Amino acid sequence: MTPKRSAGLLLFRRTGGDPTGFDVLLGHMGGPYYAGRDARAWSIPKGEYGPEEAAWDAARREFEEELGLAPPEGEYLELGEVTQANRKIVTIWAVEAELDPAAVRPGTFRMEWPPFSGRYEDFPEIDRAAWFPREEARGKLVAAQGAFLDRLAETLTHLAEG
């Protein structure tokens, strides 16, 4: 079975003079499974795509679907991919940008809830968005996505040196 693929955009803003000092914008996953959780219940805005769509196009589309806002302009930094515990392969690009979390208007998804009840409800893709300092973000993110924080720090360090 081919693993599912997902792509997204990680917004960051620099803090202080250290190139590795930055905040990132994360979305708290919507729906009943994450309603009472905080640790490991946040994600980089991203979503699945099929073989007919390029990862870059999917990342931009999913950003708009999940946040209800157009992707920001700027220089995008490719952070590569990671494989999450569920075997999903996630590809991320980062861009330095400001975004007011109060402006987020998330899209929705439909699922059977409660399970096996025959009732379907709509839930927000993300139920809130917030900025977090790099190290705080690590504890909130789905575990495998923490690698993108390290890659962003390395990329920003190289850019500052060169």
Coordinates of all heavy atoms in Angstrom, one line a residue, residues 41-92:
A41 N -1.2 17.9 19.8 CA -2.5 18.1 19.1 C -2.4 19.3 18.2 O -3.5 19.7 17.7 CB -3.6 18.3 20.2
W42 N -1.3 19.8 17.9 CA -1.1 21.0 17.0 C -0.3 20.5 15.8 O 0.5 19.5 15.9 CB -0.3 22.1 17.7 CG -1.1 22.7 18.8 CD1 -1.3 22.2 20.1 CD2 -1.8 24.0 18.8 NE1 -2.1 23.0 20.8 CE2 -2.4 24.1 20.1 CE3 -1.9 25.0 17.9 CZ2 -3.1 25.3 20.4 CZ3 -2.6 26.1 18.2 CH2 -3.2 26.3 19.5
S43 N -0.5 21.2 14.7 CA 0.1 20.7 13.5 C 0.5 22.0 12.6 O -0.1 23.0 12.8 CB -0.8 19.8 12.7 OG -0.2 19.4 11.5
I44 N 1.4 21.8 11.7 CA 1.7 22.7 10.7 C 0.5 22.7 9.7 O 0.1 21.6 9.4 CB 3.0 22.4 10.0 CG1 4.2 22.4 10.9 CG2 3.2 23.3 8.7 CD1 5.5 21.8 10.4
P45 N 0.0 23.8 9.3 CA -1.1 23.8 8.3 C -0.7 23.0 7.1 O 0.2 23.3 6.4 CB -1.4 25.2 8.0 CG -0.9 26.0 9.2 CD 0.3 25.2 9.7
K46 N -1.4 21.9 6.9 CA -1.1 21.0 5.8 C -2.3 20.1 5.4 O -3.2 20.1 6.2 CB 0.1 20.1 6.2 CG -0.2 19.2 7.4 CD 0.8 18.2 7.6 CE 0.4 17.3 8.7 NZ -1.0 16.7 8.7
G47 N -2.1 19.3 4.4 CA -3.2 18.4 4.0 C -2.7 17.4 3.0 O -1.7 17.5 2.4
E48 N -3.6 16.4 2.8 CA -3.3 15.3 1.9 C -3.4 15.7 0.4 O -4.2 16.6 0.1 CB -4.2 14.1 2.1 CG -3.8 13.4 3.4 CD -4.7 12.2 3.7 OE1 -5.3 11.7 2.7 OE2 -4.7 11.7 4.8
Y49 N -2.7 15.0 -0.4 CA -2.8 15.2 -1.9 C -2.5 13.9 -2.6 O -1.9 13.0 -2.0 CB -1.8 16.3 -2.4 CG -0.4 16.0 -2.2 CD1 0.4 15.5 -3.3 CD2 0.3 16.2 -1.0 CE1 1.7 15.2 -3.2 CE2 1.6 15.9 -0.9 CZ 2.3 15.4 -2.0 OH 3.7 15.1 -1.9
G50 N -3.0 13.8 -3.8 CA -2.8 12.6 -4.6 C -1.7 12.7 -5.6 O -1.0 13.8 -5.7
P51 N -1.4 11.7 -6.4 CA -0.3 11.6 -7.3 C -0.5 12.6 -8.5 O 0.5 13.0 -9.1 CB -0.3 10.2 -7.8 CG -1.6 9.6 -7.5 CD -2.2 10.4 -6.3
E52 N -1.7 13.1 -8.7 CA -1.9 14.0 -9.8 C -1.6 15.5 -9.5 O -1.6 16.3 -10.3 CB -3.4 13.9 -10.3 CG -4.4 14.5 -9.3 CD -4.7 13.7 -8.0 OE1 -4.3 12.5 -8.0 OE2 -5.2 14.3 -7.1
E53 N -1.3 15.7 -8.2 CA -1.0 17.1 -7.7 C 0.4 17.2 -7.2 O 0.9 16.3 -6.5 CB -2.0 17.5 -6.6 CG -1.9 18.9 -6.2 CD -3.0 19.3 -5.2 OE1 -3.5 18.4 -4.5 OE2 -3.2 20.5 -5.0
A54 N 1.1 18.3 -7.5 CA 2.5 18.5 -7.0 C 2.4 18.9 -5.6 O 1.4 19.6 -5.1 CB 3.1 19.6 -7.8
A55 N 3.4 18.5 -4.8 CA 3.4 18.8 -3.4 C 3.3 20.3 -3.1 O 2.6 20.8 -2.2 CB 4.7 18.3 -2.7
W56 N 4.1 21.1 -3.9 CA 4.0 22.6 -3.7 C 2.6 23.2 -3.9 O 2.2 24.0 -3.1 CB 5.0 23.2 -4.7 CG 4.9 24.7 -4.8 CD1 4.5 25.5 -5.8 CD2 5.2 25.7 -3.7 NE1 4.6 26.8 -5.5 CE2 5.0 27.0 -4.2 CE3 5.7 25.6 -2.4 CZ2 5.2 28.1 -3.5 CZ3 5.8 26.7 -1.6 CH2 5.6 28.0 -2.2
D57 N 1.9 22.7 -4.9 CA 0.6 23.2 -5.2 C -0.3 22.7 -4.1 O -1.2 23.5 -3.6 CB 0.1 22.6 -6.5 CG 0.8 23.2 -7.7 OD1 1.4 24.3 -7.6 OD2 0.9 22.5 -8.8
A58 N -0.2 21.5 -3.6 CA -1.0 21.0 -2.5 C -0.7 21.8 -1.2 O -1.7 22.2 -0.5 CB -0.7 19.6 -2.2
A59 N 0.5 22.2 -0.9 CA 0.8 22.9 0.3 C 0.1 24.3 0.3 O -0.5 24.7 1.3 CB 2.3 23.2 0.3
R60 N 0.1 25.0 -0.9 CA -0.6 26.3 -1.0 C -2.1 26.1 -0.9 O -2.7 26.9 -0.2 CB -0.1 27.0 -2.3 CG 1.4 27.3 -2.3 CD 1.8 27.9 -3.5 NE 1.2 29.2 -3.8 CZ 1.4 30.4 -3.3 NH1 2.4 30.5 -2.4 NH2 0.7 31.4 -3.6
R61 N -2.6 25.1 -1.6 CA -4.1 24.9 -1.5 C -4.5 24.5 -0.1 O -5.5 25.1 0.4 CB -4.4 23.7 -2.5 CG -5.9 23.3 -2.4 CD -6.2 22.1 -3.3 NE -5.3 21.0 -3.1 CZ -5.4 20.1 -2.1 NH1 -6.3 20.3 -1.1 NH2 -4.6 19.1 -2.0
E62 N -3.8 23.7 0.6 CA -4.2 23.2 1.9 C -4.1 24.4 2.9 O -4.9 24.5 3.8 CB -3.3 22.1 2.3 CG -3.7 20.8 1.7 CD -5.1 20.3 2.1 OE1 -5.6 20.6 3.2 OE2 -5.7 19.5 1.4
F63 N -3.1 25.3 2.7 CA -2.9 26.4 3.6 C -4.2 27.2 3.6 O -4.8 27.6 4.6 CB -1.7 27.3 3.2 CG -1.5 28.4 4.1 CD1 -0.7 28.3 5.2 CD2 -2.1 29.7 3.9 CE1 -0.5 29.4 6.1 CE2 -1.9 30.7 4.8 CZ -1.1 30.6 5.8
E64 N -4.7 27.5 2.3 CA -5.9 28.3 2.1 C -7.1 27.5 2.7 O -8.0 28.2 3.3 CB -6.1 28.6 0.7 CG -7.1 29.7 0.5 CD -6.9 30.5 -0.8 OE1 -5.9 30.3 -1.5 OE2 -7.8 31.3 -1.1
E65 N -7.2 26.2 2.5 CA -8.4 25.5 2.9 C -8.4 25.4 4.5 O -9.4 25.6 5.1 CB -8.3 24.1 2.4 CG -8.7 23.9 1.0 CD -8.7 22.5 0.4 OE1 -8.6 21.6 1.3 OE2 -8.7 22.3 -0.8
E66 N -7.2 25.2 5.1 CA -7.2 25.1 6.5 C -7.3 26.4 7.3 O -7.9 26.4 8.3 CB -5.9 24.4 7.0 CG -5.9 22.9 6.5 CD -5.2 22.0 7.5 OE1 -4.5 22.5 8.4 OE2 -5.4 20.8 7.3
L67 N -6.8 27.5 6.7 CA -6.8 28.7 7.4 C -7.8 29.7 6.9 O -8.1 30.8 7.5 CB -5.4 29.4 7.5 CG -4.3 28.5 8.1 CD1 -3.0 29.2 8.1 CD2 -4.7 28.1 9.5
G68 N -8.3 29.5 5.7 CA -9.2 30.4 5.1 C -8.5 31.7 4.6 O -9.2 32.7 4.4
L69 N -7.2 31.7 4.4 CA -6.4 32.8 4.0 C -5.5 32.4 2.9 O -5.0 31.3 2.9 CB -5.6 33.4 5.2 CG -6.4 33.8 6.4 CD1 -5.5 34.0 7.6 CD2 -7.2 35.1 6.1
A70 N -5.2 33.3 2.0 CA -4.2 33.1 0.9 C -2.8 32.9 1.5 O -2.5 33.5 2.5 CB -4.2 34.2 -0.1
P71 N -2.0 32.0 0.9 CA -0.6 31.9 1.4 C 0.1 33.2 1.2 O -0.1 33.9 0.3 CB 0.0 30.8 0.4 CG -1.2 30.1 -0.2 CD -2.3 31.1 -0.2
P72 N 1.0 33.5 2.2 CA 1.7 34.8 2.2 C 2.7 34.8 1.1 O 3.2 33.8 0.6 CB 2.3 34.9 3.5 CG 2.4 33.5 4.0 CD 1.3 32.7 3.4
E73 N 3.1 36.0 0.6 CA 4.2 36.2 -0.3 C 5.5 36.1 0.5 O 5.5 36.3 1.7 CB 4.1 37.6 -0.9 CG 2.8 37.8 -1.8 CD 2.7 36.9 -3.0 OE1 3.8 36.7 -3.6 OE2 1.6 36.4 -3.3
G74 N 6.5 35.8 -0.2 CA 7.8 35.7 0.4 C 8.7 34.7 -0.2 O 8.3 34.0 -1.1
E75 N 9.9 34.6 0.4 CA 10.8 33.5 -0.1 C 10.6 32.2 0.7 O 10.7 32.2 1.9 CB 12.3 34.0 0.2 CG 13.3 33.0 -0.2 CD 14.7 33.4 0.2 OE1 15.0 34.5 0.6 OE2 15.6 32.5 0.1
Y76 N 10.2 31.2 0.0 CA 9.9 29.9 0.6 C 11.1 29.1 0.7 O 11.9 29.0 -0.2 CB 8.8 29.2 -0.2 CG 7.4 29.8 0.1 CD1 6.9 30.9 -0.6 CD2 6.6 29.2 1.1 CE1 5.7 31.4 -0.3 CE2 5.4 29.7 1.4 CZ 4.9 30.8 0.7 OH 3.7 31.3 0.9
L77 N 11.3 28.5 1.9 CA 12.4 27.6 2.2 C 12.0 26.2 2.3 O 11.1 25.9 3.1 CB 13.1 28.0 3.5 CG 13.4 29.5 3.7 CD1 13.8 29.8 5.2 CD2 14.5 29.9 2.8
E78 N 12.5 25.3 1.4 CA 12.1 23.9 1.4 C 12.7 23.2 2.6 O 14.0 23.2 2.8 CB 12.5 23.3 0.1 CG 12.0 21.9 -0.1 CD 12.2 21.3 -1.4 OE1 12.7 22.0 -2.3 OE2 11.9 20.1 -1.6
L79 N 11.9 22.6 3.4 CA 12.4 21.9 4.6 C 12.4 20.4 4.5 O 12.7 19.7 5.4 CB 11.5 22.3 5.8 CG 11.6 23.8 6.2 CD1 10.7 24.0 7.4 CD2 13.0 24.3 6.4
G80 N 12.0 19.9 3.3 CA 12.0 18.5 3.0 C 10.8 17.7 3.6 O 9.7 18.3 3.7
E81 N 11.0 16.5 3.9 CA 9.9 15.6 4.3 C 10.3 14.8 5.5 O 11.4 14.5 5.8 CB 9.4 14.8 3.2 CG 10.4 13.8 2.6 CD 9.8 13.1 1.4 OE1 9.1 13.6 0.5 OE2 10.1 11.9 1.3
V82 N 9.2 14.4 6.2 CA 9.4 13.4 7.3 C 8.3 12.4 7.2 O 7.2 12.7 6.6 CB 9.3 14.1 8.7 CG1 10.4 15.1 9.0 CG2 7.9 14.7 9.0
T83 N 8.5 11.3 7.8 CA 7.4 10.2 7.9 C 6.9 10.2 9.3 O 7.6 10.0 10.3 CB 8.0 8.9 7.5 OG1 8.5 9.0 6.2 CG2 6.9 7.8 7.5
Q84 N 5.6 10.4 9.4 CA 5.0 10.4 10.8 C 4.7 9.0 11.2 O 4.8 8.0 10.4 CB 3.6 11.2 10.7 CG 3.8 12.7 10.4 CD 2.5 13.4 10.4 OE1 2.5 14.6 10.6 NE2 1.4 12.8 10.3
A85 N 4.3 8.8 12.5 CA 4.1 7.5 13.0 C 3.0 6.7 12.3 O 3.1 5.5 12.2 CB 3.7 7.6 14.5
N86 N 2.1 7.5 11.7 CA 1.0 6.8 10.9 C 1.4 6.5 9.5 O 0.6 6.1 8.7 CB -0.2 7.7 10.9 CG 0.0 9.0 10.2 OD1 1.0 9.3 9.7 ND2 -1.1 9.8 10.2
R87 N 2.7 6.6 9.2 CA 3.4 6.4 7.9 C 3.1 7.4 6.8 O 3.5 7.3 5.7 CB 3.0 5.0 7.4 CG 3.5 3.8 8.3 CD 3.3 2.5 7.6 NE 3.9 2.4 6.3 CZ 3.3 1.9 5.2 NH1 2.2 1.3 5.4 NH2 3.9 1.9 4.1
K88 N 2.4 8.5 7.2 CA 2.1 9.5 6.2 C 3.4 10.3 6.0 O 4.1 10.7 7.0 CB 1.0 10.5 6.7 CG 0.7 11.6 5.8 CD -0.3 12.6 6.3 CE -1.7 11.9 6.4 NZ -2.7 12.8 6.9
I89 N 3.7 10.6 4.8 CA 4.9 11.4 4.4 C 4.5 12.8 4.3 O 3.6 13.2 3.5 CB 5.5 10.9 3.1 CG1 6.0 9.4 3.3 CG2 6.7 11.7 2.7 CD1 6.3 8.7 2.0
V90 N 5.1 13.7 5.1 CA 4.8 15.1 5.1 C 5.9 16.0 4.5 O 7.1 15.8 5.0 CB 4.5 15.6 6.6 CG1 4.1 17.0 6.6 CG2 3.4 14.7 7.2
T91 N 5.6 16.8 3.6 CA 6.6 17.8 3.0 C 6.2 19.2 3.4 O 5.0 19.6 3.3 CB 6.5 17.6 1.4 OG1 6.7 16.3 1.1 CG2 7.6 18.5 0.8
I92 N 7.2 20.0 3.8 CA 6.9 21.3 4.3 C 7.8 22.4 3.7 O 9.0 22.1 3.5 CB 7.0 21.4 5.9 CG1 6.0 20.4 6.5 CG2 6.9 22.8 6.4 CD1 4.5 20.8 6.3

